Amino acid sequence: MADNVAGEHEQHEHEQSFVESVTEKISETFHKEDSSDSDDEAKKSSPVSDLKDKVYRLFGRERPVHKVLGGGKAADIFLWKDKKVSAGVLGFATVIWVLFELVEYHLLTLVCHTLILALAVLFLWSNAASFINKSAPKFPEVALPEDIVLGVASAIRTEINTGLAILRNIASGKDLKKFLAVIAGLWVLSILGSCWNFLTLLYTSFVLLHTVPYLYDRYEDKVDAYAEKAEAEIKKQYAVFNVKVLSKIPVGTLKQKFA
């Protein structure tokens, strides 16, 4: 009787070990198939990612347009993320330009007239509140926070120092291509300045900041394709100009004379 019980126990253990071995083989088979599928997907996806990395972007841009513009509230305004705020800012700038340029208002006159109107309205409202049994208006204490003022001053200081460093690097004669680009840009600005006054030029730049980044963000693939062709043509023309003109300028001799 005991021998029969022992035999049945050994047979049960043998069957259990056989089931476990079969289960392990099946799981290993599925694991190999999953790993092979993931490898195939990685192989298929890698050329796509390589193509994305090789896509031409304007000015060598590697970040989104929103990040290039700073990624803050200013970028949201320029890219019309909040249409009401962007329209309000652009409308306010348009009103200022119309007042100063078309109506020919002066800044001091506008400030004085605005303060006169605001103070008169608030003064009359404060005195009339007692007659009409309404509470007088409460005026909040307005003061410029020190940290904001220091932050703006620090940001302006950093930008000015960066611009001065760029100008010094260009004036040192190390990069001829950058020197020619800056000269051409300043020449174009001088032509624009002779056609329009500073306020009109500033307003035009402000309008362009509200339109060009937004349009580029919407149609960046098409713009980048045309820009790639234009850049290739510019490089081709610059290579010809370099061979025919720039390479014949005795730069080394001039450096020795002025050294």
Side-chain angles (χ1 to χ4, degrees):
M1 190 73 179
D3 294 337
N4 292 332
V5 172
E8 290 178 357
H9 182 69
E10 290 178 357
Q11 184 177 2
H12 179 70
E13 289 182 352
H14 179 71
E15 290 177 353
Q16 186 175 4
S17 61
F18 176 75
V19 171
E20 290 178 354
S21 62
V22 171
T23 306
E24 289 178 357
K25 290 181 180 180
I26 293 174
S27 62
E28 288 178 359
T29 303
F30 280 110
H31 180 71
K32 288 180 181 179
E33 290 179 355
D34 292 338
S35 61
S36 62
D37 292 338
S38 62
D39 293 338
D40 293 338
E41 290 179 357
K43 290 179 181 179
K44 291 180 181 178
S45 61
S46 58
V48 175
S49 60
D50 293 339
L51 288 175
K52 289 183 178 179
D53 294 337
K54 293 179 181 179
V55 171
Y56 175 85
R57 293 301 179 191
L58 191 62
F59 304 120
R61 177 178 58 84
E62 297 180 356
R63 298 180 297 169
V65 180
H66 190 269
K67 294 294 184 181
V68 173
L69 294 175
K73 293 183 178 179
D76 293 338
I77 292 173
F78 292 142
L79 294 177
W80 294 77
K81 299 296 183 181
D82 191 342
K83 295 183 179 180
K84 292 182 179 179
V85 176
S86 300
V89 172
L90 186 58
F92 178 76
T94 304
V95 170
I96 295 297
W97 178 76
V98 169
L99 288 174
F100 287 134
E101 186 64 23
L102 300 182
V103 184
E104 295 184 354
Y105 242 120
H106 296 286
L107 178 62
L108 183 59
T109 305
L110 178 63
V111 171
C112 292
H113 287 177
T114 304
L115 289 176
I116 289 171
L117 180 62
L119 290 175
V121 170
L122 293 175
F123 180 81
L124 293 175
W125 186 7
S126 299
N127 286 277
S130 59
F131 294 101
I132 59 177
N133 296 325
K134 288 189 177 181
S135 60
K138 296 180 180 180
F139 303 106
E141 294 183 1
V142 180
L144 290 176
E146 183 180 0
D147 54 348
I148 294 179
V149 176
L150 293 177
V152 172
S154 177
I156 294 175
R157 171 181 168 274
T158 303
E159 294 298 329
I160 292 176
N161 289 336
T162 303
L164 293 175
I166 292 174
L167 292 177
R168 184 184 63 182
N169 187 22
I170 293 172
S172 63
K174 297 179 180 179
D175 194 340
L176 181 60
K177 185 184 295 186
K178 188 179 293 185
F179 169 75
L180 294 175
V182 171
I183 293 299
L186 292 175
W187 180 67
V188 171
L189 283 178
S190 66
I191 295 176
L192 294 176
S194 63
C195 298
W196 299 305
N197 57 19
F198 178 74
L199 181 61
T200 302
L201 187 61
L202 185 64
Y203 174 70
T204 304
S205 302
F206 193 77
V207 172
L208 290 176
L209 280 174
H210 273 77
T211 53
V212 174
Y214 173 72
L215 294 175
Y216 176 70
D217 187 50
R218 290 193 62 182
Y219 307 104
E220 60 176 338
D221 293 333
K222 295 180 180 179
V223 174
D224 288 338
Y226 287 114
E228 184 177 10
K229 296 178 181 179
E231 184 178 357
E233 185 64 24
I234 291 173
K235 288 182 178 179
K236 181 180 177 181
Q237 297 299 328
Y238 177 78
V240 175
F241 180 73
N242 186 25
V243 172
K244 293 183 177 180
V245 179
L246 297 180
S247 61
K248 297 180 181 179
I249 298 176
V251 180
T253 307
L254 291 176
K255 286 185 177 180
Q256 292 177 0
K257 287 182 179 180
F258 289 104

